[in-house]
Amino acid sequence: MSTVNSPRVRRKTILPVLVAAAVILVTVAITSSRPDGIPANAATPSDLITLRPDGSVVMAQRGVKSPVLEVYEDYQCPYCQEFERTNGETIKQWAVQGKIKVVYYPMTIFRKEKSPVTHDNSHRALKASLCVTDPRKWLAYHDELYTHQPEETAEGGFAIEDLVAYARKVGIAEADFAACLNSRESSDRAAEVSELALTRKVEGTPTVRLNGEDIDWSTPWAGPQQQV
């Protein structure tokens, strides 16, 4: 887990709860309408995305309110990349199946005074994520950032031209995206989003919470014991 003061320290598991245990016990009620436009029984994870004003992103079938899985993540954090590789697809499957509500909180955990290069890389990636305004494109861009994650200490990682290229690849309008990415407003918003996460007692990334309780993110959640 990447922490505020150290990019390479993994925090010990606080509460080794299996997400599936809660998932199995939940009966989901699907309603017939929802103002955010998500179709009933949406077929893909990207169909489930809602972008919220505070920078967080919800992935859930309409009507699904619990259990809630919160993921605080930093695109430059190697442990966040590990978590995404280990459990990212499982989370998407559960969301599509209507078993869980996922809330992503992209942020920058690295402090500029401690790790200036790593902070700047992370900050650029976070800005880029916040500049994705089409909910159906957000998840694809999110995945591109982890696919192309640079080394933590690579100066100039997540270069602007690369971030724009990833946007082009997933079908985001390049001109508007680039203008947002280079704006002072997007930089300020990225800083605000990160500070908000820190007020929620997030001390490292990834921080993964099930119904408000920190859980073990490091082991695969998919397996025979988790089959519903």
Side-chain angles (χ1 to χ4, degrees):
M1 170 179 288
S2 296
T3 65
V4 173
N5 295 321
S6 172
R8 298 300 296 180
V9 176
R10 186 198 298 265
R11 189 178 64 184
K12 294 182 179 179
T13 299
I14 295 178
L15 183 63
V17 178
L18 289 177
V19 173
V23 172
I24 292 172
L25 297 176
V26 172
T27 299
V28 178
I30 304 297
T31 60
S32 60
S33 63
R34 182 175 171 179
D36 57 18
I38 292 177
N41 300 317
T44 71
S46 291
D47 294 332
L48 309 179
I49 296 296
T50 300
L51 306 179
R52 302 202 295 195
D54 66 355
S56 63
V57 178
V58 174
M59 180 172 64
Q61 290 280 7
R62 74 164 64 155
V64 177
K65 296 181 179 180
S66 65
V68 179
L69 183 74
E70 298 173 287
V71 179
Y72 292 85
E73 59 181 358
D74 185 321
Y75 296 115
Q76 180 59 88
C77 162
Y79 296 123
C80 296
Q81 183 188 59
E82 178 185 337
F83 170 70
E84 182 63 28
R85 288 174 174 171
T86 302
N87 289 313
E89 289 304 312
T90 299
I91 291 171
K92 293 172 186 174
Q93 290 172 16
W94 286 346
V96 169
Q97 292 165 3
K99 296 174 180 176
I100 199 164
K101 175 181 178 179
V102 184
V103 186
Y104 294 100
Y105 291 93
M107 62 177 293
T108 292
I109 193 66
F110 303 102
R111 310 310 291 172
K112 193 173 183 66
E113 62 273 17
K114 297 287 185 179
S115 308
V117 170
T118 309
H119 168 274
D120 289 350
N121 294 351
S122 171
H123 185 70
R124 279 190 293 273
L126 177 58
K127 285 195 301 178
S129 175
L130 294 172
C131 284
V132 179
T133 58
D134 182 346
R136 294 178 183 275
K137 305 294 184 184
W138 184 85
L139 195 56
Y141 195 80
H142 166 276
D143 293 349
E144 283 293 309
L145 290 174
Y146 280 123
T147 296
H148 298 284
Q149 185 187 87
E151 291 293 326
E152 290 176 85
T153 57
E155 190 166 352
F158 284 128
I160 295 295
E161 58 268 27
D162 292 332
L163 294 170
V164 173
Y166 307 152
R168 185 188 313 119
K169 179 179 178 181
V170 301
I172 296 170
E174 184 175 336
D176 291 345
F177 179 85
C180 174
L181 188 55
N182 287 293
S183 71
R184 179 57 187 240
E185 290 78 6
S186 67
S187 184
D188 290 344
R189 187 180 180 217
E192 291 170 1
V193 165
S194 297
E195 290 303 318
L196 179 60
L198 293 174
T199 67
R200 294 169 175 157
K201 299 182 180 180
V202 175
E203 299 177 353
T205 54
T207 289
V208 183
R209 292 172 176 162
L210 178 64
N211 291 335
E213 298 289 340
D214 286 40
I215 63 172
D216 179 14
W217 55 265
S218 63
T219 56
W221 293 341
Q225 69 275 21
Q226 281 88 30
Q227 294 302 313
V228 179

